């Protein structure tokens, strides 16, 4: 879980809906119980205030309970998220560019340089009869020395 909890839309939706449900449920319960209490004590209570009021108190209690449960769930998510260890970021050290450069004055191994620069002759690289040359041999003859292989083999910086 790489996403932080504060950037999660689901977490904020849970928290907002839980708070709204708690507020509406508390308002319904307290309002209906207050109305029922005053009308019953005055002796002016009607059947609608008593029986409908009881039903609204039950609905308000369900909303209040769901809201409290949602808030507790959001608190539990925050607690669990804080217990999960986070991956430590990898520290990347700066590159020392001076250490990787080749010294053009450094001595070169002659065997490596000559082996890399020698190209096979037309007789060795082609299975075609003498005098005939296929397209690939003609292409390699045109490109000899243009790939920079001599500079690479001898560790010479080409600028």
């Amino acid at each position: 879980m790489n996403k932080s909890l504060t950037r999660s839309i689901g977490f904020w939706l849970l928290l907002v809906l839980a708070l709204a449900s708690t507020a509406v449920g508390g308002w319904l319960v307290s309002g209906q119980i207050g109305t029922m209490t005053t009308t019953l004590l005055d002796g002016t209570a009607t059947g609608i205030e008593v029986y409908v009021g009881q039903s609204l108190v039950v609905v308000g209690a369900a909303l209040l309970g769901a809201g409290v449960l949602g808030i507790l769930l959001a608190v539990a998510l925050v607690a669990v998220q804080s217990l999960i260890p986070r991956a430590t970021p990898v520290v990347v050290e700066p590159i020392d560019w001076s250490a990787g450069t080749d010294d053009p004055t450094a001595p070169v191994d002659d065997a490596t340089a000559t082996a890399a620069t020698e190209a096979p002759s037309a007789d060795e690289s082609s299975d075609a009869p003498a005098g005939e040359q296929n397209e690939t041999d003609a292409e390699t003859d045109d490109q000899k020395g243009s790939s920079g292989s001599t500079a690479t083999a001898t560790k010479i910086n080409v600028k």
Side-chain angles (χ1 to χ4, degrees):
M1 189 169 167
N2 295 336
K3 196 175 190 182
S4 71
L5 203 54
T6 57
R7 294 180 54 181
S8 173
I9 293 173
F11 172 76
W12 288 110
L13 191 64
L14 169 69
L15 192 59
V16 167
L17 289 177
L19 288 172
S21 177
T22 303
V24 170
W27 175 72
L28 276 174
V29 168
S30 68
Q32 290 303 317
I33 288 182
T35 302
M36 285 174 36
T37 303
T38 57
T39 56
L40 285 172
L41 289 176
D42 290 345
T44 60
T46 63
I48 293 176
E49 290 172 345
V50 174
Y51 297 117
V52 173
Q54 289 176 1
S55 299
L56 288 175
V57 167
V58 170
V59 169
L63 287 173
L64 182 64
V68 169
L69 189 63
I71 291 171
L72 291 176
L73 184 61
V75 169
L77 281 173
V78 170
V80 168
Q81 181 72 19
S82 68
L83 293 176
I84 295 175
R86 297 207 184 260
T88 56
V90 177
V91 177
V92 179
E93 296 179 15
I95 298 172
D96 184 15
W97 293 102
S98 63
T101 59
D102 291 333
D103 186 13
T105 60
V108 177
D109 184 19
D110 291 335
T112 306
T114 56
T117 58
E118 290 180 2
S121 64
D123 295 335
E124 295 173 357
S125 64
S126 175
D127 293 335
E132 290 184 19
Q133 203 176 30
N134 59 19
E135 292 178 18
T136 57
D137 287 341
E139 291 173 2
T140 54
D141 287 342
D142 293 338
Q143 294 182 0
K144 282 186 182 176
S146 65
S147 66
S149 61
T150 305
T152 305
T154 58
K155 297 183 182 179
I156 296 174
N157 288 336
V158 179
K159 293 183 182 180

